[in-house]
Amino acid sequence: LAFEESEWLPHPHGFEGNSSVPLISLNGETNDNFNGPMKVTERLERSPYLQQVLASFDEVFGRSRLMGLAAGCAVPEHRDINYHWYNRVRIHVPVITNPDVLFYCGDTHVHMQAGETWIFDSWKPHRVENGSDENRVHLVIDTSGSSNFWKMVGQSEWRCVKQTRRAATAPD
């Protein structure tokens, strides 16, 4: 809520209701690029709490953003299969959400609750639907992950519920 509406960028593919605030980006500039030297943006520099959240992972991060999804809008089904994703994972930390915001991956879905931390297989078809009357915001962080990160993932709570929920990781 500390960011002005003008600081939210439209989705690079023009998906209605999808927007982002770059926190770590190519050269620390206002862009959605993910290839090249990543640097902290001035928006992250003026966000001490987000800095603390990122630091709590003790990892090196690539492109990282706050990602918004307007009420009644969706993220169309897609796969993250660009070479960039060959050795990277995307971490989702829901900040503002509603039980009517559903994340679909394959033939299952889940509501990611605020404050949880999620990773998923982004090579599988996935999409998001915001069926609520309020905007959703996630902190979305890209990383390759160190051995300590993958150890934490291995020790985390795994949620895997058939048909209604997507297998995902939600470390406490």
Side-chain angles (χ1 to χ4, degrees):
L1 299 176
F3 296 106
E4 300 292 328
E5 188 172 328
S6 63
E7 294 181 278
W8 289 84
L9 303 178
H11 192 277
H13 298 297
F15 300 148
E16 181 184 351
N18 286 251
S19 59
S20 66
V21 172
L23 301 172
I24 299 173
S25 66
L26 177 64
N27 296 315
E29 298 169 358
T30 302
N31 61 61
D32 260 327
N33 299 327
F34 51 79
N35 290 322
M38 293 289 128
K39 296 183 181 176
V40 171
T41 67
E42 65 87 15
R43 289 169 182 88
L44 181 56
E45 287 176 349
R46 62 183 162 94
S47 305
Y49 183 69
L50 290 176
Q51 291 176 40
Q52 288 178 333
V53 172
L54 290 171
S56 72
F57 286 94
D58 195 26
E59 292 297 321
V60 174
F61 294 119
R63 180 179 67 171
S64 299
R65 305 167 288 172
L66 287 175
M67 295 184 74
L69 181 59
C73 289
V75 176
E77 185 171 271
H78 65 285
R79 296 175 189 230
D80 299 327
I81 56 173
N82 180 293
Y83 180 74
H84 173 81
W85 297 109
Y86 180 73
N87 64 353
R88 290 178 181 84
V89 66
R90 176 166 281 175
I91 301 168
H92 278 253
V93 180
V95 178
I96 299 171
T97 190
N98 178 294
D100 292 326
V101 176
L102 297 176
F103 178 88
Y104 294 82
C105 190
D107 61 354
T108 59
H109 68 275
V110 66
H111 166 66
M112 298 178 181
Q113 295 183 43
E116 294 179 335
T117 302
W118 290 82
I119 62 173
F120 64 94
D121 184 353
S122 63
W123 287 70
K124 291 185 177 181
H126 55 279
R127 63 189 170 91
V128 183
E129 292 182 2
N130 184 352
S132 76
D133 59 359
E134 57 190 22
N135 295 346
R136 179 222 75 173
V137 176
H138 280 196
L139 174 60
V140 180
I141 313 162
D142 296 350
T143 187
S144 294
S146 65
S147 60
N148 285 337
F149 173 81
W150 291 108
K151 182 178 178 182
M152 177 184 66
V153 168
Q155 294 172 345
S156 67
E157 173 187 346
W158 287 81
R159 295 188 183 174
C160 182
V161 180
K162 294 179 182 177
Q163 295 185 7
T164 58
R165 292 202 170 197
R166 161 73 179 117
T169 305
D172 292 325

